[in-house]
Amino acid sequence: NAGVTQTPKFRILKIGQSMTLQCTQDMNHNYMYWYRQDPGMGLKLIYYSVGAGITDKGEVPNGYNVSRSTTEDFPLRLELAAPSQTSVYFCASSQSNTGELFFGEGSRLTVL
Amino acid sequence: DAKTTQPPSMDCAEGRAANLPCNHSTISGNEYVYWYRQIHSQGPQYIIHGLKNNETNEMASLIITEDRKSSTLILPHATLRDTAVYYCIVSLLNAGNMLTFGGGTRLMVKP
């Protein structure tokens, strides 16, 4: 099993551009999450999903959108990128709504 | 309001036990204690969790005080690869979306 796979690993965006961070998992987990981590800080939850077709906001959802059309995929879309969105983004999944999350390796985004 | 308090950093000699403390004085009766670690910019890795009994797995042991107001994560024989930021998190069992990763403890294992 590959676990949780995120692409791209690195990306530089210009202010106002849009992009999608991809996340896919092959563990048949129902729950998926997107976190962001600013330098030297902990992780903050952006969005999460409890299953295909169901998404909900986390602590810091502004400026982002998600969709969950399949169990495997949970893409995160950034519209009109801003410098404040410069961060490392982590996708995670869990078999149920327990606290045992499996994380991807992260996507490092810089907005200039 | 922070639910947990951890020292910002600790050192440990390679081969020795690393004991990482966590205070969670406001923990409620149905909240669990979770531990994760993050090795240099990688995604966080789940280590262990517990309610009130001590727990052990292949990675670590978790000791929770009887009043549940504090806990200690023990890495029995620390190696250089255990150098990481360790997060102590208090959460309900069925609330994976409620995990709050705070500052954590930066553990440096030294030769």
Side-chain angles (χ1 to χ4, degrees), chain B residues 39 54 57 62 103 108:
Chain B
I39 298 173
N54 298 338
N57 63 21
L62 174 59
M108 180 74 71

Side-chain angles (χ1 to χ4, degrees), chain A:
Chain A
N1 288 347
V4 178
T5 302
Q6 294 182 233
T7 57
K9 287 184 169 44
F10 301 94
R11 182 73 186 268
I12 298 175
L13 281 181
K14 294 182 179 179
I15 294 173
Q17 287 185 319
S18 299
M19 75 159 297
T20 299
L21 299 177
Q22 302 290 344
C23 175
T24 186
Q25 52 92 8
D26 61 359
M27 298 174 282
N28 201 33
H29 286 171
N30 285 324
Y31 290 77
M32 296 188 73
Y33 314 82
W34 273 107
Y35 288 86
R36 61 175 285 174
Q37 184 174 33
D38 297 334
M41 307 294 286
L43 284 73
K44 293 186 177 181
L45 183 65
I46 306 171
Y47 270 96
Y48 68 99
S49 168
V50 302
I54 305 170
T55 63
D56 209 344
K57 296 178 180 179
E59 182 183 0
V60 289
N62 291 345
Y64 306 94
N65 280 301
V66 292
S67 59
R68 186 91 183 275
S69 57
T70 66
T71 298
E72 295 78 18
D73 300 307
F74 190 40
L76 176 72
R77 177 127 181 112
L78 282 72
E79 304 282 1
L80 300 175
S84 61
Q85 293 178 305
T86 293
S87 191
V88 181
Y89 292 83
F90 290 102
C91 179
S93 71
S94 63
Q95 186 171 19
S96 60
N97 194 20
T98 66
E100 187 174 348
L101 274 58
F102 293 81
F103 283 82
E105 290 300 307
S107 296
R108 189 176 300 272
L109 176 68
T110 302
V111 182
L112 299 174

Side-chain angles (χ1 to χ4, degrees), chain B:
Chain B
D1 291 337
K3 282 192 166 184
T4 64
T5 303
Q6 299 178 253
S9 65
M10 292 181 63
D11 290 343
C12 177
E14 188 178 19
R16 296 295 189 109
N19 298 286
L20 293 96
C22 180
N23 286 322
H24 31 79
S25 59
T26 61
I27 191 171
S28 63
N30 55 353
E31 287 183 313
Y32 284 67
V33 180
Y34 290 87
W35 282 85
Y36 278 77
R37 72 180 182 183
Q38 187 173 25
I39 298 173
H40 187 56
S41 300
Q42 296 179 18
Q45 177 188 24
Y46 165 84
I47 300 173
I48 198 167
H49 75 279
L51 181 63
K52 54 184 177 181
N53 296 323
N54 298 338
E55 302 287 345
T56 296
N57 63 21
E58 65 278 4
M59 289 183 67
S61 295
L62 174 59
I63 308 298
I64 302 174
T65 58
E66 191 168 345
D67 63 7
R68 302 209 324 121
K69 292 185 176 181
S70 66
S71 60
T72 301
L73 179 75
I74 301 172
L75 308 178
H77 304 287
T79 70
L80 298 179
R81 289 176 293 180
D82 291 321
T83 292
V85 176
Y86 287 78
Y87 297 100
C88 171
I89 302 166
V90 166
S91 179
L92 298 172
L93 180 62
N94 294 317
N97 56 301
M98 299 294 287
L99 295 183
T100 301
F101 291 81
T105 296
R106 185 172 298 276
L107 176 68
M108 180 74 71
V109 181
K110 298 184 175 180

